[in-house]
């Protein structure tokens, strides 16, 4: 049985992803998310699925430029997305969360 040909391409090593706090999801973010969940129903903007907020992602649009982005806690820059739609969005953008 023939063996699978080897690829000459090596996988590029992935740079370790910073932890959630280093990415800007700190105590202020958790407080903001809790407030937002109490004011805005957790309904996905993509598929209209309604879940408890724990199964939803508070997505930034446009995406944050980093942990110091002034729009990080801006109510007008976030929207609910279910975990499935958010994963699909991240896969389209080529990033892992």
């Amino acid at each position: 049985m023939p063996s699978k040909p080897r690829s000459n391409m090596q996988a590029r090593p992935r740079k370790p992803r910073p932890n959630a706090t280093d990415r800007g999801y700190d105590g202020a973010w958790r407080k903001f998310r809790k407030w937002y969940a109490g004011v805005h129903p957790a309904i996905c903007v993509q598929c209209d699925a309604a879940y408890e907020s724990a199964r939803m992602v508070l997505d930034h649009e446009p995406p944050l430029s980093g942990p110091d982005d002034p729009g990080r806690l801006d109510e007008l820059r976030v929207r609910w997305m279910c975990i499935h739609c958010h994963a699909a969005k991240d896969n389209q953008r080529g990033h892992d969360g």
Side-chain angles (χ1 to χ4, degrees):
M1 182 171 201
S3 62
K4 185 176 177 182
R6 288 187 174 192
S7 170
N8 289 337
M9 295 182 64
Q10 297 263 336
R12 285 185 285 177
R14 277 190 147 178
K15 188 177 175 183
R17 187 174 184 203
N19 67 36
T21 301
D22 290 345
R23 293 190 332 264
Y25 301 105
D26 55 7
W29 169 256
R30 288 187 293 277
K31 184 176 178 180
F32 173 77
R33 189 184 194 288
K34 186 175 182 177
W35 168 83
Y36 192 90
V39 176
H40 300 277
I43 300 171
C44 179
V45 296
Q46 295 286 11
C47 70
D48 290 328
Y51 296 108
E52 65 217 28
S53 63
R55 294 196 55 195
M56 302 288 279
V57 175
L58 203 48
D59 179 63
H60 286 90
E61 191 57 45
L64 294 177
S65 61
D68 297 325
D69 188 312
R72 185 174 72 98
L73 305 177
D74 184 347
E75 177 183 9
L76 301 177
R77 288 225 5 228
V78 295
R79 72 251 176 99
W80 288 118
M81 288 183 87
C82 72
I83 56 175
H84 307 291
C85 291
H86 191 263
K89 176 188 171 196
D90 281 348
N91 286 338
Q92 267 187 334
R93 288 182 41 220
H95 107 17
D96 48 320

